[in-house]
C-alpha cells in the first residue's frame, strides 16, 4: 500500500468515526435536521437525564445502537436528544414525556411515535417490521419483492405504511369484515389536503394493529361508493364494522383525537362482544357476559330483586382491568335468579350515568327492588367482589325467609 492510499484510508476511517459519533449518539438540532434531509432513517430517543425511565432504557438503547452499527450497510441511525439541552427541538417534535421514541423515515419530517415494550428484542423487531431487512441490514432481495408484487390480487387494496387505498372495485369486500376507519375525500378539497398528513400518520400508528384498518377513498374517481355511503361533504370519516356504518366522526382532526376515537371504538366493540347475552342461552354454556343496560331497559332491570351494575367508559384503564373480572363474575352468578350482573357504558349513556350520580370510573352500584342500596369500593378482584355479592344475596334470601 503506497503512502497516498494509506492516507486516504486513514482519512476515510476518521470520517466514519465522526459520522458514528454524530449520527449514532447525542444529537443537536443541527444534526437532527441534517439527518432528516438525508437518505438515512432515524430512530431517536428524546429524554431527560434525571428521568428514571430514561435511565432504565439507556443500556438497552446503547445495545440497539451497537447492534446496528455492527451492520455496515444499515441505513438506520440510532440517536438520542437531551431535552434539557435541546428544549426547542423537543417542543417542535411534540415531546410530551420521557422517554419518547420516534422513528423518522428517509427524508420525512414527521416522526411516528413508538409506544410498545422497550425491550431490545421488541425495538429491533419494530424497526424490521417498519422498515424491512433491506433498510436495517442493507440486504436487497428484489426477486422476492417482485414476486410478491406480481401475486397481488387486483381486488386487494394497496397499502402504504398501514394506509389502504380503496376503490369502487375493492371497497365492499374489504369493508365486509372487521373494524375500519375510512376517509372519504376529494383531492381538491382544502380540508382534505390539511388532513392528509395526519391521516397518513394515523395509519402508521395502527399499521401493526390487526383489529382495525385505516383507509381512504377518492370520491372523484370512485363516485359510486361515495354515493352508496351517502357522502355529502369532504372529508367524511366513517367508523365501519362488518360492512355497516356504526359512527361518523365529527370531532377535532388532530392525530391524538383521532387515535383516541379509534381506541374508544375498539374498546366498545370488544366490550359488546364480550358482554352480549341472550336470555335463551342454555345453562350448559359455561361463559356468560353481564347484561348490557341502556336508558330504555334500566328501569325494568332494576325493578325486581338485586342488580349489580358496573358503570364504565372505554378509555378508563381501571375499567379495562376490571372487564375480565366482571365477565367472570357474571358467569359465576348467571344461574342465581336472585341477582343480575350488568354493565352501563357511560360514553354511550351519559344522561343515565348522570342521573345515577356516577362520578368516576368504574363505579359499582347495587340496586334492590328499584332502589340503590350500596356501592362496592373494595378490592376489584374476583374473590373479593364475589364474596361481597354472595353476602348481599344471602342476606336478601334471609330477609325473605323472615317475612
Amino acid at each position: 500500500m503506497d503512502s497516498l492510499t494509506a492516507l486516504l484510508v486513514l482519512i476515510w476511517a476518521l470520517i466514519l468515526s465522526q459520522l458514528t459519533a454524530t449520527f449514532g449518539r447525542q444529537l443537536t438540532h443541527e444534526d437532527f435536521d441534517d439527518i432528516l434531509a438525508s437518505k438515512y432513517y432515524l430512530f431517536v430517543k428524546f429524554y431527560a437525564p434525571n428521568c428514571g425511565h430514561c435511565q432504565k432504557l439507556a443500556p438497552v438503547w446503547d445495545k440497539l445502537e451497537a447492534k446496528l452499527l455492527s451492520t455496515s450497510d444499515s441505513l438506520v441511525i440510532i440517536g438520542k436528544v437531551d431535552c434539557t439541552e435541546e428544549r426547542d427541538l423537543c417542543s417542535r417534535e411534540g415531546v410530551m414525556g420521557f422517554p419518547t421514541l420516534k422513528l423518522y423515515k428517509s427524508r420525512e419530517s414527521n416522526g411516528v411515535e413508538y409506544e410498545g415494550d422497550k425491550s431490545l428484542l421488541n425495538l429491533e423487531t419494530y424497526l424490521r417490521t417498519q422498515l424491512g431487512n433491506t433498510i436495517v441490514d442493507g440486504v436487497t432481495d428484489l426477486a422476492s419483492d417482485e414476486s410478491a408484487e406480481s401475486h397481488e390480487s387486483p381486488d386487494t387494496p394497496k397499502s402504504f405504511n398501514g394506509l389502504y387505498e380503496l376503490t369502487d372495485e375493492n371497497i365492499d369486500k374489504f369493508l365486509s369484515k372487521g373494524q375500519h376507519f375510512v376517509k372519504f375525500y376529494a383531492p381538491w378539497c382544502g380540508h382534505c389536503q390539511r388532513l392528509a398528513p395526519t391521516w397518513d400518520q394515523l395509519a402508521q400508528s395502527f399499521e401493526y394493529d390487526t383489529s382495525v384498518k385505516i383507509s381512504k377513498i377518492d370520491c372523484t374517481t370512485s363516485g359510486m361508493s361515495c354515493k352508496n355511503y351517502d357522502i355529502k361533504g369532504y372529508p367524511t370519516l366513517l367508523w365501519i364494522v362488518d360492512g355497516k356504518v356504526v359512527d361518523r366522526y365529527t370531532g377535532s382532526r388532530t392525530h391524538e383525537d383521532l387515535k383516541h376515537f379509534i381506541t374508544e371504538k375498539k374498546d366498545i366493540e370488544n366490550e359488546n362482544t364480550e358482554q352480549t347475552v341472550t336470555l335463551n342461552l342454555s345453562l350448559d354454556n359455561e361463559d356468560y357476559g353481564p347484561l348490557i343496560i341502556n336508558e330504555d331497559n334500566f328501569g325494568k332491570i332494576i325493578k325486581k330483586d338485586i342488580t349489580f351494575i358496573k358503570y364504565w367508559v372505554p378509555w378508563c384503564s381501571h375499567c379495562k382491568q376490571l372487564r375480565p373480572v366482571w365477565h367472570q363474575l357474571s358467569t359465576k352468578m348467571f344461574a342465581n335468579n336472585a341477582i343480575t350482573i350488568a354493565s352501563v357504558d357511560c360514553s354511550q349513556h351519559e344522561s343515565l350515568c348522570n342521573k345515577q350520580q356516577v362520578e368516576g370510573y368504574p363505579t359499582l352500584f347495587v340496586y334492590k327492588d328499584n332502589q340503590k342500596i350500596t356501592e362496592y369500593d373494595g378490592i376489584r378482584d374476583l374473590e373479593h367482589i364475589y364474596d361481597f355479592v354472595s353476602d348481599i344475596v344471602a342476606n336478601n334470601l334471609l330477609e325473605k325467609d323472615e317475612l
Side-chain angles (χ1 to χ4, degrees):
M1 182 184 297
D2 57 40
S3 58
L4 179 58
T5 303
L7 179 60
L8 291 174
V9 170
L10 178 60
I11 292 173
W12 180 241
L14 289 171
I15 292 173
L16 284 178
S17 65
Q18 184 60 41
L19 282 173
T20 299
T22 302
F23 287 165
R25 304 199 65 82
Q26 205 74 41
L27 301 180
T28 65
H29 66 277
E30 292 92 349
D31 302 325
F32 190 90
D33 290 337
D34 286 344
I35 295 171
L36 293 189
S38 74
K39 67 177 182 179
Y40 290 96
Y41 298 74
L42 174 63
F43 197 23
V44 61
K45 174 184 70 172
F46 296 92
Y47 74 101
N50 60 349
C51 158
H53 293 294
C54 303
Q55 294 166 5
K56 184 178 179 180
L57 177 61
V60 176
W61 200 251
D62 290 342
K63 289 178 182 177
L64 180 67
E65 175 195 341
K67 196 163 188 177
L68 266 72
L69 284 176
S70 67
T71 306
S72 60
D73 292 329
S74 174
L75 291 175
V76 183
I77 293 167
I78 306 298
K80 56 186 179 182
V81 174
D82 181 352
C83 289
T84 64
E85 298 289 337
E86 299 289 340
R87 294 177 183 272
D88 291 343
L89 174 59
C90 295
S91 176
R92 186 191 81 183
E93 296 305 312
V95 177
M96 304 294 290
F98 306 116
T100 292
L101 311 183
K102 285 194 173 187
L103 176 62
Y104 297 79
K105 297 189 177 181
S106 178
R107 297 186 176 89
E108 290 187 7
S109 59
N110 291 323
V112 176
E113 185 170 345
Y114 173 77
E115 299 176 340
D117 181 76
K118 295 180 176 66
S119 67
L120 179 61
L121 177 60
N122 283 340
L123 290 170
E124 186 179 4
T125 301
Y126 171 73
L127 286 177
R128 293 185 184 280
T129 53
Q130 282 280 349
L131 305 179
N133 292 336
T134 300
I135 304 300
V136 177
D137 295 331
V139 178
T140 55
D141 188 359
L142 296 177
S144 63
D145 290 344
E146 291 171 0
S147 175
E149 187 175 336
S150 65
H151 286 86
E152 187 177 69
S153 174
D155 62 351
T156 300
K158 295 180 180 179
S159 170
F160 180 74
N161 290 338
L163 181 59
Y164 292 85
E165 190 164 351
L166 306 182
T167 65
D168 282 340
E169 289 73 27
N170 60 36
I171 186 171
D172 290 337
K173 182 178 180 180
F174 184 71
L175 299 182
S176 64
K177 292 183 180 180
Q179 301 179 91
H180 301 266
F181 199 17
V182 186
K183 176 183 71 171
F184 295 81
Y185 75 101
W188 46 259
C189 157
H191 293 295
C192 302
Q193 293 167 7
R194 285 190 288 274
L195 176 61
T198 303
W199 198 256
D200 291 343
Q201 187 181 7
L202 183 70
Q204 291 180 48
S205 297
F206 289 91
E207 183 173 2
Y208 298 99
D209 185 338
T210 57
S211 66
V212 63
K213 289 183 171 60
I214 314 299
S215 55
K216 65 179 181 179
I217 181 165
D218 181 350
C219 290
T220 64
T221 58
S222 298
M224 184 59 68
S225 297
C226 298
K227 182 178 180 181
N228 291 340
Y229 280 93
D230 196 29
I231 304 302
K232 300 184 183 302
Y234 308 118
T236 293
L237 311 179
L238 298 184
W239 181 258
I240 297 173
V241 180
D242 295 336
K244 297 180 180 179
V245 177
V246 175
D247 201 356
R248 181 187 298 262
Y249 181 78
T250 57
S252 170
R253 294 173 187 155
T254 67
H255 181 229
E256 287 305 314
D257 286 332
L258 290 167
K259 278 178 62 178
H260 177 79
F261 173 79
I262 291 175
T263 303
E264 174 185 333
K265 286 297 178 184
K266 283 170 50 184
D267 284 342
I268 290 173
E269 186 66 24
N270 291 338
E271 185 85 8
N272 289 338
T273 300
E274 290 179 4
Q275 295 184 346
T276 298
V277 176
T278 55
L279 298 180
N280 61 352
L281 284 174
S282 165
L283 290 179
D284 293 333
N285 193 324
E286 297 180 353
D287 189 21
Y288 303 95
L291 187 64
I292 305 300
I293 290 183
N294 54 42
E295 284 92 342
D296 296 329
N297 64 14
F298 178 80
K300 181 185 293 186
I301 299 235
I302 69 166
K303 187 175 182 179
K304 186 179 179 182
D305 294 323
I306 299 171
T307 309
F308 195 16
I309 301 179
K310 176 188 71 170
Y311 295 90
W312 65 285
V313 289
W315 56 86
C316 159
S317 60
H318 295 296
C319 302
K320 294 176 184 177
Q321 294 169 7
L322 179 61
R323 184 165 59 197
V325 174
W326 204 249
H327 194 92
Q328 293 168 32
L329 177 68
S330 177
T331 298
K332 287 175 72 72
M333 302 302 297
F334 186 82
N336 193 324
N337 294 326
I339 187 169
T340 299
I341 308 299
S343 173
V344 175
D345 177 359
C346 291
S347 72
Q348 299 293 310
H349 307 290
E350 184 178 358
S351 176
L352 172 59
C353 296
N354 288 337
K355 288 179 183 177
Q356 296 305 309
Q357 299 179 322
V358 176
E359 297 178 348
Y361 307 110
T363 292
L364 311 179
F365 283 155
V366 179
Y367 298 80
K368 178 185 174 185
D369 298 333
N370 212 32
Q371 296 293 324
K372 185 193 302 179
I373 61 171
T374 189
E375 177 181 1
Y376 179 78
D377 58 1
I379 299 173
R380 298 193 192 111
D381 62 17
L382 182 60
E383 180 182 358
H384 287 85
I385 298 179
Y386 180 73
D387 288 345
F388 169 79
V389 170
S390 298
D391 287 344
I392 289 179
V393 172
N395 290 335
N396 184 54
L397 294 175
L398 184 61
E399 290 173 7
K400 287 185 176 181
D401 289 342
E402 291 174 348
L403 292 174

